[in-house]
Coordinates of all heavy atoms in Angstrom, one line a residue:
A300 N -14.2 -64.3 74.4 CA -15.3 -64.0 75.3 C -14.9 -63.0 76.4 O -15.7 -62.1 76.7 CB -15.8 -65.3 76.0
R301 N -13.7 -63.1 76.9 CA -13.3 -62.2 77.9 C -13.1 -60.8 77.3 O -13.5 -59.8 78.0 CB -12.0 -62.7 78.5 CG -11.5 -61.8 79.6 CD -10.2 -62.3 80.3 NE -9.8 -61.4 81.3 CZ -8.5 -61.3 81.7 NH1 -7.7 -62.2 81.3 NH2 -8.2 -60.4 82.6
K302 N -12.5 -60.7 76.1 CA -12.3 -59.4 75.5 C -13.7 -58.7 75.2 O -13.9 -57.5 75.4 CB -11.6 -59.6 74.2 CG -11.3 -58.4 73.4 CD -10.3 -57.5 74.1 CE -9.8 -56.4 73.2 NZ -8.9 -55.5 73.8
N303 N -14.7 -59.5 74.8 CA -16.0 -59.0 74.5 C -16.6 -58.5 75.8 O -17.2 -57.4 75.8 CB -16.9 -60.2 74.0 CG -18.2 -59.6 73.4 OD1 -18.3 -58.4 73.1 ND2 -19.1 -60.5 73.1
L304 N -16.5 -59.2 76.9 CA -17.0 -58.7 78.2 C -16.3 -57.4 78.6 O -16.9 -56.5 79.1 CB -16.8 -59.7 79.3 CG -17.8 -60.9 79.2 CD1 -17.4 -62.0 80.3 CD2 -19.2 -60.5 79.4
E305 N -15.0 -57.3 78.4 CA -14.2 -56.1 78.7 C -14.7 -54.9 77.9 O -14.9 -53.8 78.4 CB -12.7 -56.3 78.5 CG -12.1 -57.2 79.5 CD -10.7 -57.6 79.2 OE1 -10.1 -57.0 78.2 OE2 -10.1 -58.4 79.9
L306 N -15.0 -55.2 76.6 CA -15.5 -54.1 75.7 C -16.9 -53.6 76.1 O -17.2 -52.4 76.1 CB -15.5 -54.5 74.3 CG -14.1 -54.7 73.6 CD1 -14.2 -55.4 72.2 CD2 -13.4 -53.4 73.5
K307 N -17.7 -54.6 76.5 CA -19.1 -54.2 77.0 C -19.0 -53.4 78.2 O -19.7 -52.4 78.4 CB -19.9 -55.5 77.2 CG -20.4 -56.2 76.0 CD -21.2 -57.4 76.4 CE -21.7 -58.1 75.1 NZ -22.6 -59.3 75.5
Q308 N -18.1 -53.8 79.1 CA -18.0 -53.0 80.4 C -17.4 -51.6 80.1 O -17.9 -50.6 80.7 CB -17.1 -53.8 81.4 CG -17.0 -53.1 82.7 CD -18.3 -53.0 83.4 OE1 -19.1 -53.9 83.5 NE2 -18.6 -51.8 84.0
A309 N -16.5 -51.5 79.2 CA -15.9 -50.2 78.9 C -17.0 -49.3 78.3 O -17.1 -48.1 78.6 CB -14.8 -50.3 77.9
L310 N -17.8 -49.8 77.4 CA -18.9 -49.0 76.8 C -19.9 -48.6 77.9 O -20.4 -47.5 77.9 CB -19.6 -49.8 75.7 CG -20.7 -49.1 75.0 CD1 -20.2 -47.7 74.4 CD2 -21.3 -49.9 73.9
S311 N -20.2 -49.6 78.7 CA -21.2 -49.3 79.8 C -20.6 -48.1 80.7 O -21.4 -47.2 81.1 CB -21.4 -50.5 80.7 OG -22.3 -50.3 81.7
D312 N -19.3 -48.2 81.0 CA -18.7 -47.2 81.8 C -18.7 -45.8 81.1 O -18.8 -44.8 81.8 CB -17.3 -47.5 82.2 CG -17.2 -48.8 83.1 OD1 -18.2 -49.1 83.7 OD2 -16.1 -49.4 83.2
Q313 N -18.6 -45.8 79.8 CA -18.5 -44.6 79.1 C -19.8 -44.1 78.5 O -19.9 -43.0 77.9 CB -17.5 -44.7 77.9 CG -16.1 -45.0 78.4 CD -15.1 -45.4 77.2 OE1 -15.5 -45.4 76.1 NE2 -13.9 -45.7 77.6
F314 N -20.8 -44.8 78.8 CA -22.1 -44.5 78.2 C -22.7 -43.2 78.8 O -23.5 -42.5 78.2 CB -23.2 -45.6 78.3 CG -24.5 -45.2 77.7 CD1 -24.5 -45.3 76.3 CD2 -25.5 -44.8 78.4 CE1 -25.7 -44.9 75.6 CE2 -26.7 -44.4 77.7 CZ -26.8 -44.5 76.3
Q315 N -22.3 -42.9 80.0 CA -22.7 -41.6 80.7 C -22.5 -40.4 79.7 O -23.5 -39.6 79.6 CB -21.9 -41.4 82.0 CG -22.2 -40.1 82.6 CD -23.2 -40.1 83.7 OE1 -23.4 -41.2 84.3 NE2 -23.8 -39.0 84.0
T316 N -21.4 -40.3 79.1 CA -21.1 -39.2 78.2 C -22.1 -39.2 77.0 O -22.6 -38.2 76.6 CB -19.7 -39.2 77.7 OG1 -18.8 -39.3 78.9 CG2 -19.3 -38.0 76.9
I317 N -22.3 -40.4 76.4 CA -23.2 -40.5 75.3 C -24.6 -40.1 75.7 O -25.3 -39.4 75.0 CB -23.2 -41.9 74.7 CG1 -21.8 -42.3 74.2 CG2 -24.2 -42.1 73.6 CD1 -21.6 -43.7 73.9
Y318 N -25.0 -40.6 76.9 CA -26.4 -40.3 77.4 C -26.5 -38.9 77.6 O -27.6 -38.3 77.3 CB -26.6 -41.1 78.7 CG -27.9 -40.7 79.3 CD1 -29.1 -41.1 78.8 CD2 -27.9 -39.8 80.4 CE1 -30.3 -40.7 79.4 CE2 -29.1 -39.3 80.9 CZ -30.3 -39.8 80.4 OH -31.4 -39.3 81.0
E319 N -25.6 -38.2 78.2 CA -25.7 -36.8 78.6 C -25.9 -36.0 77.3 O -26.7 -35.0 77.3 CB -24.5 -36.3 79.4 CG -24.5 -36.8 80.8 CD -23.2 -36.5 81.5 OE1 -22.3 -35.9 81.0 OE2 -23.1 -36.9 82.7
L320 N -25.1 -36.3 76.2 CA -25.3 -35.6 75.0 C -26.6 -35.8 74.4 O -27.3 -34.8 74.0 CB -24.2 -36.0 74.0 CG -24.2 -35.3 72.6 CD1 -24.1 -33.8 72.8 CD2 -23.1 -35.9 71.7
C321 N -27.1 -37.0 74.3 CA -28.4 -37.3 73.7 C -29.5 -36.7 74.6 O -30.5 -36.1 74.0 CB -28.6 -38.8 73.7 SG -27.6 -39.7 72.5
N322 N -29.4 -36.7 75.9 CA -30.3 -36.1 76.8 C -30.4 -34.6 76.6 O -31.5 -34.0 76.6 CB -30.0 -36.5 78.2 CG -31.1 -36.2 79.2 OD1 -32.3 -36.3 78.9 ND2 -30.8 -35.7 80.3
F323 N -29.2 -34.0 76.5 CA -29.2 -32.5 76.3 C -29.9 -32.1 75.0 O -30.7 -31.2 75.0 CB -27.7 -32.1 76.2 CG -27.6 -30.6 75.9 CD1 -27.7 -29.7 76.8 CD2 -27.3 -30.2 74.6 CE1 -27.6 -28.3 76.5 CE2 -27.1 -28.9 74.2 CZ -27.3 -27.9 75.2
I324 N -29.7 -32.9 73.9 CA -30.3 -32.6 72.6 C -31.8 -32.8 72.7 O -32.6 -32.0 72.3 CB -29.7 -33.4 71.5 CG1 -28.3 -33.0 71.3 CG2 -30.5 -33.3 70.2 CD1 -27.4 -34.0 70.4
C325 N -32.3 -33.9 73.3 CA -33.7 -34.2 73.4 C -34.4 -33.1 74.3 O -35.5 -32.6 74.0 CB -33.9 -35.6 74.0 SG -33.5 -36.9 72.9
K326 N -33.8 -32.7 75.4 CA -34.3 -31.7 76.3 C -34.4 -30.3 75.6 O -35.3 -29.6 75.8 CB -33.6 -31.7 77.6 CG -34.0 -32.8 78.5 CD -33.4 -32.7 79.9 CE -33.9 -33.8 80.8 NZ -33.5 -33.7 82.2
A327 N -33.3 -30.0 74.9 CA -33.3 -28.8 74.1 C -34.5 -28.7 73.2 O -35.2 -27.7 73.1 CB -32.0 -28.6 73.4
H328 N -34.8 -29.8 72.5 CA -35.9 -29.9 71.6 C -37.2 -29.8 72.3 O -38.2 -29.0 71.9 CB -35.9 -31.1 70.8 CG -37.2 -31.4 70.0 ND1 -37.5 -30.6 68.9 CD2 -38.2 -32.2 70.2 CE1 -38.7 -31.0 68.4 NE2 -39.1 -32.0 69.2
S329 N -37.3 -30.5 73.5 CA -38.6 -30.5 74.2 C -38.9 -29.1 74.8 O -40.0 -28.7 74.9 CB -38.6 -31.6 75.3 OG -37.6 -31.3 76.2
A330 N -37.9 -28.4 75.2 CA -38.0 -27.1 75.8 C -38.4 -26.0 74.8 O -39.1 -25.1 75.1 CB -36.8 -26.7 76.6
N331 N -37.9 -26.2 73.6 CA -38.1 -25.2 72.5 C -38.1 -25.9 71.2 O -37.1 -25.9 70.5 CB -37.0 -24.1 72.6 CG -37.2 -23.0 71.6 OD1 -38.3 -22.8 71.1 ND2 -36.2 -22.2 71.4
P332 N -39.3 -26.5 70.8 CA -39.4 -27.2 69.6 C -39.0 -26.3 68.4 O -39.3 -25.2 68.3 CB -40.9 -27.6 69.5 CG -41.3 -27.6 70.9 CD -40.5 -26.5 71.6
G333 N -38.2 -26.9 67.5 CA -37.7 -26.2 66.4 C -36.3 -25.6 66.6 O -35.7 -25.1 65.6
S334 N -35.8 -25.6 67.8 CA -34.5 -25.1 68.1 C -33.4 -26.0 67.7 O -32.2 -25.6 67.6 CB -34.4 -24.7 69.6 OG -34.5 -25.9 70.4
V335 N -33.7 -27.3 67.5 CA -32.7 -28.3 67.2 C -33.1 -28.8 65.8 O -34.2 -29.1 65.5 CB -32.7 -29.4 68.2 CG1 -31.7 -30.5 67.8 CG2 -32.4 -28.9 69.6
K336 N -32.1 -28.9 64.9 CA -32.3 -29.4 63.5 C -32.9 -30.8 63.6 O -32.5 -31.6 64.4 CB -31.0 -29.3 62.7 CG -30.6 -28.0 62.4 CD -29.3 -28.1 61.5 CE -28.9 -26.7 61.0 NZ -27.7 -26.8 60.1
D337 N -33.8 -31.0 62.6 CA -34.4 -32.4 62.6 C -33.3 -33.4 62.3 O -33.4 -34.5 62.9 CB -35.4 -32.4 61.4 CG -36.7 -31.6 61.8 OD1 -36.9 -31.3 62.9 OD2 -37.4 -31.3 60.8
S338 N -32.3 -33.1 61.5 CA -31.3 -34.1 61.2 C -30.5 -34.5 62.5 O -30.2 -35.7 62.7 CB -30.3 -33.6 60.2 OG -29.7 -32.4 60.6
L339 N -30.3 -33.5 63.4 CA -29.6 -33.8 64.7 C -30.5 -34.6 65.6 O -30.0 -35.6 66.2 CB -29.2 -32.5 65.4 CG -28.5 -32.7 66.7 CD1 -27.2 -33.5 66.5 CD2 -28.1 -31.3 67.3
L340 N -31.8 -34.3 65.6 CA -32.7 -35.1 66.4 C -32.8 -36.6 65.9 O -32.8 -37.5 66.7 CB -34.1 -34.5 66.4 CG -34.3 -33.2 67.2 CD1 -35.6 -32.6 66.9 CD2 -34.1 -33.5 68.7
N341 N -32.9 -36.7 64.6 CA -32.9 -38.1 64.0 C -31.6 -38.8 64.3 O -31.7 -40.0 64.7 CB -33.1 -38.0 62.5 CG -34.6 -37.8 62.2 OD1 -35.5 -38.2 62.9 ND2 -34.8 -37.0 61.1
T342 N -30.5 -38.2 64.2 CA -29.2 -38.8 64.5 C -29.2 -39.2 66.0 O -28.7 -40.3 66.4 CB -28.0 -37.9 64.2 OG1 -28.1 -37.6 62.8 CG2 -26.7 -38.6 64.5
T343 N -29.7 -38.3 66.9 CA -29.7 -38.6 68.3 C -30.6 -39.8 68.6 O -30.2 -40.7 69.4 CB -30.2 -37.4 69.1 OG1 -29.3 -36.3 68.8 CG2 -30.3 -37.6 70.6
L344 N -31.8 -39.9 68.0 CA -32.7 -41.0 68.2 C -32.1 -42.3 67.7 O -32.3 -43.3 68.3 CB -34.1 -40.7 67.6 CG -34.8 -39.5 68.3 CD1 -36.1 -39.2 67.5 CD2 -35.1 -39.8 69.8
N345 N -31.5 -42.2 66.5 CA -30.8 -43.4 66.0 C -29.7 -43.9 66.9 O -29.5 -45.1 67.0 CB -30.3 -43.1 64.5 CG -31.4 -43.1 63.5 OD1 -32.4 -43.7 63.7 ND2 -31.2 -42.3 62.5
T346 N -28.9 -42.9 67.4 CA -27.9 -43.3 68.4 C -28.4 -44.0 69.6 O -27.9 -45.1 70.0 CB -27.1 -42.1 68.8 OG1 -26.5 -41.5 67.6 CG2 -26.0 -42.4 69.8
L347 N -29.5 -43.5 70.1 CA -30.1 -44.1 71.3 C -30.6 -45.5 70.9 O -30.5 -46.5 71.7 CB -31.3 -43.3 71.8 CG -30.8 -42.1 72.6 CD1 -32.1 -41.2 72.9 CD2 -30.1 -42.4 73.9
S348 N -31.2 -45.6 69.7 CA -31.7 -46.9 69.3 C -30.6 -47.9 69.1 O -30.7 -49.1 69.5 CB -32.5 -46.7 67.9 OG -32.9 -47.9 67.4
T349 N -29.5 -47.5 68.5 CA -28.4 -48.4 68.3 C -27.8 -48.9 69.7 O -27.4 -50.0 69.8 CB -27.3 -47.6 67.5 OG1 -27.8 -47.3 66.3 CG2 -26.1 -48.5 67.3
F350 N -27.7 -47.9 70.6 CA -27.1 -48.3 71.9 C -28.1 -48.9 72.9 O -27.7 -49.2 74.0 CB -26.4 -47.1 72.5 CG -25.1 -46.7 71.9 CD1 -25.0 -45.7 71.0 CD2 -24.0 -47.5 72.1 CE1 -23.8 -45.4 70.4 CE2 -22.8 -47.2 71.5 CZ -22.7 -46.1 70.6
M351 N -29.3 -49.0 72.5 CA -30.3 -49.4 73.5 C -30.0 -50.7 74.2 O -30.1 -50.9 75.4 CB -31.7 -49.6 72.8 CG -32.9 -49.7 73.8 SD -33.0 -48.3 75.0 CE -33.6 -47.0 73.9
K352 N -29.4 -51.7 73.5 CA -29.1 -53.0 74.1 C -27.8 -52.8 75.0 O -27.6 -53.7 75.8 CB -28.9 -54.1 73.1 CG -27.8 -53.8 72.1 CD -27.7 -54.9 71.1 CE -26.7 -54.6 70.0 NZ -26.9 -55.4 68.8
W353 N -27.1 -51.7 74.9 CA -25.9 -51.5 75.7 C -26.2 -50.6 76.9 O -25.3 -50.5 77.8 CB -24.8 -50.9 74.8 CG -24.4 -51.8 73.7 CD1 -24.8 -51.8 72.4 CD2 -23.4 -52.8 73.7 NE1 -24.2 -52.7 71.7 CE2 -23.3 -53.4 72.5 CE3 -22.5 -53.3 74.8 CZ2 -22.4 -54.4 72.1 CZ3 -21.7 -54.3 74.4 CH2 -21.6 -54.9 73.2
I354 N -27.3 -49.9 76.8 CA -27.5 -48.9 77.9 C -27.7 -49.6 79.2 O -28.6 -50.5 79.3 CB -28.8 -48.1 77.5 CG1 -28.6 -47.3 76.2 CG2 -29.1 -47.1 78.7 CD1 -29.8 -46.5 75.8
P355 N -27.0 -49.2 80.2 CA -27.2 -49.7 81.5 C -28.6 -49.4 82.0 O -29.2 -48.3 81.7 CB -26.2 -49.0 82.4 CG -25.1 -48.5 81.5 CD -25.8 -48.2 80.2
L356 N -29.3 -50.4 82.6 CA -30.7 -50.2 83.0 C -30.9 -49.0 83.8 O -32.0 -48.4 83.7 CB -31.2 -51.5 83.8 CG -31.3 -52.7 82.9 CD1 -31.7 -53.9 83.8 CD2 -32.2 -52.6 81.8
G357 N -30.0 -48.5 84.6 CA -30.2 -47.3 85.4 C -30.5 -46.1 84.5 O -31.3 -45.2 84.9
F358 N -29.9 -46.0 83.4 CA -30.1 -44.9 82.5 C -31.5 -45.0 81.9 O -32.1 -43.9 81.6 CB -29.1 -44.8 81.3 CG -27.8 -44.3 81.7 CD1 -26.8 -45.2 82.0 CD2 -27.5 -43.0 81.9 CE1 -25.5 -44.8 82.3 CE2 -26.3 -42.5 82.3 CZ -25.3 -43.4 82.5
I359 N -32.1 -46.1 81.8 CA -33.4 -46.3 81.3 C -34.5 -46.0 82.3 O -35.4 -45.3 82.1 CB -33.6 -47.7 80.6 CG1 -32.7 -47.9 79.5 CG2 -35.1 -47.9 80.2 CD1 -32.6 -49.3 78.9
F360 N -34.3 -46.6 83.5 CA -35.4 -46.5 84.5 C -35.2 -45.5 85.6 O -36.1 -45.2 86.3 CB -35.6 -47.9 85.1 CG -36.1 -48.9 84.1 CD1 -35.2 -49.9 83.6 CD2 -37.3 -48.8 83.5 CE1 -35.7 -50.9 82.7 CE2 -37.8 -49.8 82.6 CZ -36.9 -50.8 82.2
Q361 N -34.0 -45.0 85.8 CA -33.7 -44.1 86.8 C -33.5 -42.6 86.3 O -33.2 -41.7 87.1 CB -32.5 -44.5 87.6 CG -32.7 -45.8 88.3 CD -31.4 -46.3 89.0 OE1 -30.4 -45.8 88.9 NE2 -31.6 -47.4 89.8
T362 N -33.8 -42.4 85.0 CA -33.7 -41.1 84.5 C -35.0 -40.8 83.8 O -35.9 -41.7 83.8 CB -32.6 -41.0 83.4 OG1 -32.9 -41.8 82.3 CG2 -31.2 -41.4 84.0
D363 N -35.2 -39.6 83.2 CA -36.4 -39.3 82.5 C -36.3 -39.6 81.0 O -37.1 -39.1 80.2 CB -36.7 -37.8 82.7 CG -35.6 -36.9 82.3 OD1 -34.5 -37.4 81.9 OD2 -35.8 -35.7 82.4
L364 N -35.4 -40.5 80.6 CA -35.3 -40.9 79.2 C -36.6 -41.4 78.6 O -37.0 -40.9 77.5 CB -34.2 -41.9 79.1 CG -33.9 -42.5 77.7 CD1 -33.5 -41.3 76.7 CD2 -32.9 -43.6 77.7
I365 N -37.2 -42.3 79.2 CA -38.4 -42.9 78.7 C -39.5 -41.8 78.6 O -40.2 -41.7 77.6 CB -38.9 -44.1 79.5 CG1 -37.9 -45.3 79.3 CG2 -40.3 -44.6 79.1 CD1 -38.2 -46.5 80.1
Q366 N -39.7 -41.1 79.6 CA -40.7 -40.0 79.6 C -40.5 -39.0 78.5 O -41.4 -38.7 77.8 CB -40.7 -39.3 81.0 CG -41.7 -38.1 81.0 CD -41.5 -37.4 82.3 OE1 -40.8 -37.8 83.3 NE2 -42.2 -36.2 82.4
I367 N -39.3 -38.6 78.3 CA -39.0 -37.6 77.2 C -39.2 -38.3 75.8 O -39.9 -37.7 75.0 CB -37.5 -37.1 77.3 CG1 -37.3 -36.2 78.5 CG2 -37.1 -36.4 76.0 CD1 -35.9 -35.8 78.8
L368 N -38.8 -39.5 75.7 CA -39.0 -40.2 74.4 C -40.5 -40.4 74.1 O -41.0 -40.1 73.0 CB -38.3 -41.5 74.3 CG -36.8 -41.5 74.3 CD1 -36.2 -42.9 74.4 CD2 -36.2 -40.7 73.1
M369 N -41.3 -40.8 75.1 CA -42.7 -41.0 74.9 C -43.4 -39.7 74.7 O -44.3 -39.6 73.9 CB -43.3 -41.7 76.1 CG -42.8 -43.1 76.3 SD -43.2 -44.2 75.0 CE -45.0 -44.3 75.2
E370 N -43.1 -38.7 75.4 CA -43.8 -37.4 75.4 C -43.5 -36.6 74.1 O -44.4 -36.0 73.6 CB -43.4 -36.6 76.6 CG -44.3 -35.4 76.8 CD -44.1 -34.7 78.2 OE1 -43.7 -35.4 79.1 OE2 -44.3 -33.5 78.2
Y371 N -42.3 -36.6 73.7 CA -41.9 -35.7 72.6 C -41.6 -36.4 71.2 O -41.6 -35.8 70.2 CB -40.7 -34.8 73.0 CG -41.1 -33.9 74.1 CD1 -40.7 -34.2 75.4 CD2 -41.8 -32.8 73.9 CE1 -41.1 -33.4 76.4 CE2 -42.2 -31.9 74.9 CZ -41.8 -32.2 76.2 OH -42.1 -31.4 77.2
F372 N -41.3 -37.7 71.3 CA -40.8 -38.3 70.1 C -41.7 -39.5 69.6 O -41.4 -40.1 68.6 CB -39.4 -38.7 70.2 CG -38.5 -37.6 70.5 CD1 -38.0 -37.3 71.8 CD2 -38.1 -36.7 69.5 CE1 -37.2 -36.2 72.0 CE2 -37.3 -35.6 69.7 CZ -36.9 -35.4 71.0
W373 N -42.7 -39.9 70.4 CA -43.4 -41.1 70.0 C -44.3 -40.9 68.8 O -44.4 -41.7 67.9 CB -44.2 -41.6 71.2 CG -45.0 -42.8 71.0 CD1 -46.3 -43.0 70.7 CD2 -44.5 -44.2 71.0 NE1 -46.7 -44.3 70.5 CE2 -45.6 -45.0 70.7 CE3 -43.2 -44.7 71.3 CZ2 -45.4 -46.4 70.7 CZ3 -43.1 -46.1 71.2 CH2 -44.2 -46.9 70.9
D374 N -45.1 -39.8 68.8 CA -46.1 -39.6 67.8 C -45.6 -39.0 66.5 O -46.1 -39.4 65.5 CB -47.2 -38.7 68.4 CG -48.5 -39.4 68.6 OD1 -48.6 -40.6 68.3 OD2 -49.4 -38.8 69.2
P375 N -44.8 -38.0 66.5 CA -44.5 -37.4 65.2 C -43.9 -38.4 64.2 O -42.9 -39.1 64.5 CB -43.4 -36.3 65.6 CG -43.6 -36.0 67.0 CD -44.1 -37.3 67.6
P376 N -44.5 -38.6 63.1 CA -44.0 -39.5 62.1 C -42.5 -39.3 61.7 O -41.9 -40.3 61.3 CB -44.9 -39.3 60.9 CG -46.1 -38.6 61.4 CD -45.7 -37.8 62.6
M377 N -42.1 -38.1 61.7 CA -40.7 -37.9 61.3 C -39.7 -38.5 62.2 O -38.5 -38.7 61.9 CB -40.4 -36.4 61.2 CG -40.5 -35.6 62.5 SD -40.4 -33.9 62.4 CE -38.7 -33.7 62.0
F378 N -40.1 -38.9 63.4 CA -39.1 -39.5 64.4 C -39.3 -41.0 64.5 O -38.6 -41.7 65.3 CB -39.3 -38.9 65.8 CG -39.0 -37.4 65.8 CD1 -39.9 -36.5 66.3 CD2 -37.8 -36.9 65.3 CE1 -39.6 -35.2 66.3 CE2 -37.5 -35.6 65.3 CZ -38.4 -34.7 65.8
R379 N -40.2 -41.6 63.7 CA -40.4 -43.1 63.8 C -39.4 -43.8 63.0 O -38.8 -43.4 62.1 CB -41.8 -43.4 63.3 CG -42.8 -42.9 64.3 CD -44.2 -43.4 63.9 NE -45.2 -42.7 64.6 CZ -46.4 -42.6 64.3 NH1 -46.8 -43.2 63.2 NH2 -47.2 -42.0 65.0

């Protein structure tokens, strides 16, 4: 149990880097649709989905992550 908590804390501490990369890719797509390959966008969205339960709440509610996901990735069927 202690090792599990340590691993969760380490991932939480290191999530900033993962978030910055995913955020960069999503913002690049939103600024210029078509500039990022669909496969990279799908991988980015899958990564966010996989890490969603690990993402510190600050990254969800204190950043524009939800806004970007809702505005650019909610409707297109290719991103569902």
Side-chain angles (χ1 to χ4, degrees):
R301 182 175 176 203
K302 181 72 171 176
N303 195 15
L304 288 174
E305 289 173 3
L306 290 172
K307 285 182 182 182
Q308 184 59 46
L310 180 58
S311 181
D312 293 343
Q313 296 173 3
F314 185 76
Q315 171 98 23
T316 306
I317 296 167
Y318 171 78
E319 288 173 359
L320 178 60
C321 292
N322 191 39
F323 175 80
I324 294 167
C325 290
K326 285 187 174 186
H328 170 75
S329 64
N331 188 10
S334 64
V335 179
K336 289 184 176 183
D337 290 342
S338 59
L339 180 58
L340 288 171
N341 282 327
T342 300
T343 300
L344 295 173
N345 285 332
T346 299
L347 285 172
S348 175
T349 300
F350 284 104
M351 194 57 74
K352 63 183 171 194
W353 298 93
I354 297 175
L356 291 177
F358 284 100
I359 296 172
F360 296 110
Q361 296 173 354
T362 66
D363 55 355
L364 176 62
I365 291 176
Q366 179 184 350
I367 289 172
L368 293 175
M369 295 295 292
E370 192 170 330
Y371 296 100
F372 300 102
W373 183 260
D374 253 354
M377 64 189 288
F378 298 126
R379 289 187 193 161

